[in-house]
Amino acid sequence: MVSNGDNKVQGKTPGELMEILHFYADAGVDCVLEEAPINRFKQATEISNEIPKARQSEQPRAAHHQDAHQKQPQAPTVQASTPPPLAATVPDEAAVSDARETARNAPNVDALREALASFNGCNLRFGARNTVFADGNPAAQVMFIGEAPGRDEDRQGLPFVGRAGQLLDKMLTAISLDRTSCYITNMIPWRPPGNRSPTPLEIELCRPFIERHVELVNPKVVVLLGNVSTKALLGTTRGILSLRGTWSQYHPNSDISIPALPTLHPAYLLRNPAQKKLSWQDFLSIRAHLDQPAGDQSQ
Ligand code: URA
């Protein structure tokens, strides 16, 4: 690279270079190739070996639940200014158990947000600008769980703020909800490069965090938006078109059972607007469920 006295590199200002890098990231480029080959599997193994050692030197944090319903304003989580190691880690069992322990040790929603923001065990984190944790009211009765942030969510650090999110907002309004009366998050908190689907291993790595998140929020109702969160959290291989509109129980742990409704993802509705009538039925069902008096939650 050639840098001259005016801070430009090959004729480009730092801002222009950032724009180019963001363009590549949006297009799905998640690593830079160099002249000499790099064994990233070896790097991943080394990093995975380091995680348990680093954890051992930490004081265990006590897990308790009483802070779960604290209402806190939901600010976007911006990545720490120290850049993460430039390695794309391949999730493995050690990383999954580290994720489980990290999530389990978070005593409340804010602690979970912080734990996730500094969790380095998932490769997706390194291609994302922000950790997209949640939006809305953690004390709300209903928690929506989507798939993963897209480009707009990654930029703003908040879930469902792009086109799909705008449609979701309209659907919420139609049943008298908004972001002050519901809580919104995703199965995966980091944008997969180029909006590809998360891999099964990435889903397994993120599962402990979303399970703990639901456990801490403990809403009256969970709404699963689309295939990814439905399959991962209900442990089913059935597709969303056959499961949507049918209530079942979600168990974030063996003591908690929460009515859960799978429904179509707003991004799917943007591509298939004729299916909005099915979503409308599902959203009316959510409204009816929320309106049931306490103690009459027979679905
Ligand atoms: N799609 C999702 O599943 N989540 C978002 O936050 C945005 C789009």
Side-chain angles (χ1 to χ4, degrees), residues 135-214:
D135 194 17
N137 182 353
Q141 290 190 313
V142 54
M143 179 169 187
F144 288 83
I145 306 177
E147 179 178 326
R151 189 190 57 179
D152 295 317
E153 290 75 21
D154 183 40
R155 288 202 168 146
Q156 294 186 39
L158 289 169
F160 283 100
V161 290
R163 281 184 67 223
Q166 286 156 22
L167 176 56
L168 178 62
D169 284 337
K170 287 184 190 152
M171 293 158 74
L172 294 174
T173 306
I175 57 166
S176 307
L177 290 175
D178 61 19
R179 292 189 187 224
T180 65
S181 53
C182 73
Y183 190 59
I184 304 174
T185 186
N186 280 307
M187 183 70 211
I188 308 281
W190 298 285
R191 183 194 183 204
N195 287 353
R196 67 163 168 76
S197 297
T199 65
L201 281 170
E202 287 160 356
I203 290 172
E204 283 318 301
L205 254 176
C206 295
R207 174 196 295 283
F209 293 102
I210 187 69
E211 285 180 349
R212 183 71 177 139
H213 205 159
V214 179

Side-chain angles (χ1 to χ4, degrees), residues 2 10 37-38 47 54 89 107 157 179 196 215-216 243 253 266 294 298:
V2 180
Q10 298 201 330
I38 298 171
I47 289 174
T89 60
R179 292 189 187 224
R196 67 163 168 76
E215 191 181 8
L216 290 168
L243 283 173
N253 65 35
S298 48

